[in-house]
Amino acid sequence: MAERGCYVSPQQCEDKFNDLNKRYKRLTDILGRGTSCKVVENPALLDRLNLSEKMKDDVRKILSSKHLFYEEMCSYHNCNRLNLPADPALQRSLQLALGSRDEHDRRRGSHEDVDEDDQSADGDDEEGDAEEHNGLTIDMNQVFSEGSKSTLIQQHWVNSYPLQLEEKKLHIQAQMLELKKQRYKWQRFSKKKDRELNMMRMENERMKLENECLSLELRQKEMELDLTSKKTQLCKII
C-alpha cells in the first residue's frame, strides 16, 4: 500500500475490509446471493421484490454507497478472480508476505522448543508465563490458519488465471471470425457491385457503337441523296 502512495495502518486496512464485507453480507442476507447480483446490475428490479419497505430502503442505501465493490467482494467470497484485475505486483507482495510467514513459523518453532526446555527447568513461578505464551500461540495459529486460507485463494487465482486467458483468447478469436465474416460479405457485395458496373459499362459501349452505326448510316444516306441530286442536275443539263 505504501509503495502505491496509500499510507494507512494495518488496522485501517482491516477496518476498510470489514466495512466492505459487512455491506456485502448485509445485501446477500436480505436478497440472497443470486438475487443480489441481479439487483446490483439493475436496481430497478428491487421494486418488484416481495420485501418490506424498510428492507428496500436498507438495500437502496447500500446500493447508493460509493464503497460497495460488490463484484470484487463476490469474487473474494467465491475464491475466483472474475471481477478482480490482474495485478502481478500485488501477487508478488503476497508471495513475499507468505514467505515471511513461513520464516516466522520456523523461528516460532525453534523458540517454542527453547521455551519448553526453560519451562521444564523452571518452577511453579513460570506457569503463569507459560499459560500466557500458550494463549499467544493459539492466537498466532488462528492468524496462520487465515494465512493458509489466503494461500489457497491465491493458488486458486493462479490456477484459474490460465483459464481466464483462454476465455479471452477464445473471445478474441470469435471477434476475429466475425470480422472475417463481415469482410467476406463486403467482398461479395463489392464483387456484385463491380459486376453491375461492368455490365453498365458494356451496355454504354454497346449503345455508343449503335449510335455510331446509325450516324454512319445517316451519313451514307446523305451522300447517296447528294449523289442522286447531282446526277439529276447533270441529266437536265445534257
Side-chain angles (χ1 to χ4, degrees):
M1 296 290 288
E3 288 174 357
R4 301 187 179 197
C6 300
Y7 299 98
V8 293
S9 67
Q11 186 62 47
Q12 286 176 307
C13 292
E14 183 177 356
D15 291 343
K16 179 65 176 179
F17 178 82
N18 289 338
D19 182 63
L20 294 172
N21 205 32
K22 183 169 124 180
R23 294 174 189 273
Y24 172 83
K25 288 186 175 181
R26 176 59 179 163
L27 197 60
T28 54
D29 287 344
I30 296 175
L31 301 177
R33 184 170 295 179
T35 306
S36 295
C37 294
K38 296 178 181 178
V39 171
V40 169
E41 292 177 358
N42 184 10
L45 295 175
L46 179 63
D47 296 330
R48 304 179 188 175
L49 299 180
N50 187 18
L51 295 173
S52 65
E53 287 301 321
K54 183 179 182 303
M55 286 188 173
K56 288 183 179 180
D57 289 340
D58 291 344
V59 172
R60 290 189 185 98
K61 288 179 182 178
I62 296 174
L63 293 178
S64 63
S65 172
K66 296 181 180 179
H67 306 285
L68 179 58
F69 296 100
Y70 181 85
E71 292 83 359
E72 289 81 355
M73 294 303 297
C74 188
S75 287
Y76 168 78
H77 282 278
N78 288 284
C79 299
N80 63 60
R81 291 190 58 84
L82 295 179
N83 294 294
L84 298 178
D87 196 334
L90 178 59
Q91 293 179 8
R92 286 196 297 271
S93 296
L94 181 58
Q95 289 172 357
L96 289 174
L98 294 175
S100 299
R101 187 205 66 186
D102 294 338
E103 179 66 21
H104 189 277
D105 282 345
R106 288 194 294 271
R107 291 181 180 178
R108 186 172 59 86
S110 63
H111 287 318
E112 285 179 352
D113 293 340
V114 174
D115 289 342
E116 288 177 358
D117 294 339
D118 292 342
Q119 288 172 5
S120 62
D122 292 338
D124 295 337
D125 293 338
E126 299 295 331
E127 291 181 357
D129 294 338
E131 292 177 357
E132 181 180 357
H133 180 270
N134 290 335
L136 177 59
T137 302
I138 293 173
D139 291 338
M140 292 301 294
N141 286 335
Q142 182 178 1
V143 172
F144 293 147
S145 66
E146 294 177 356
S148 299
K149 180 180 177 182
S150 298
T151 304
L152 292 174
I153 293 174
Q154 183 198 24
Q155 187 63 36
H156 180 79
W157 288 349
V158 172
N159 293 336
S160 64
Y161 190 66
L163 295 177
Q164 296 178 23
L165 289 179
E166 188 65 25
E167 289 178 0
K168 291 181 180 179
K169 181 180 177 181
L170 292 175
H171 181 66
I172 292 173
Q173 290 177 346
Q175 289 181 332
M176 291 177 64
L177 181 60
E178 183 64 26
L179 289 174
K180 287 182 178 179
K181 288 181 179 179
Q182 293 179 2
R183 181 181 177 184
Y184 176 70
K185 290 180 180 179
W186 169 250
Q187 287 177 342
R188 287 183 59 188
F189 175 78
S190 179
K191 288 180 179 179
K192 181 180 177 182
K193 291 298 181 184
D194 287 342
R195 286 195 299 269
E196 291 177 356
L197 288 174
N198 287 331
M199 291 179 65
M200 292 174 66
R201 290 193 192 101
M202 292 174 64
E203 182 65 19
N204 287 335
E205 289 294 331
R206 186 187 64 81
M207 294 176 65
K208 182 179 179 182
L209 290 173
E210 288 182 353
N211 289 335
E212 289 179 355
C213 289
L214 290 173
S215 179
L216 288 173
E217 290 179 359
L218 181 60
R219 179 61 178 165
Q220 184 180 3
K221 293 292 185 182
E222 289 177 351
M223 291 176 65
E224 289 177 356
L225 290 173
D226 186 50
L227 182 59
T228 303
S229 175
K230 287 180 178 181
K231 284 182 178 180
T232 303
Q233 290 178 359
L234 183 57
C235 289
K236 288 180 180 181
I237 293 173
I238 296 173

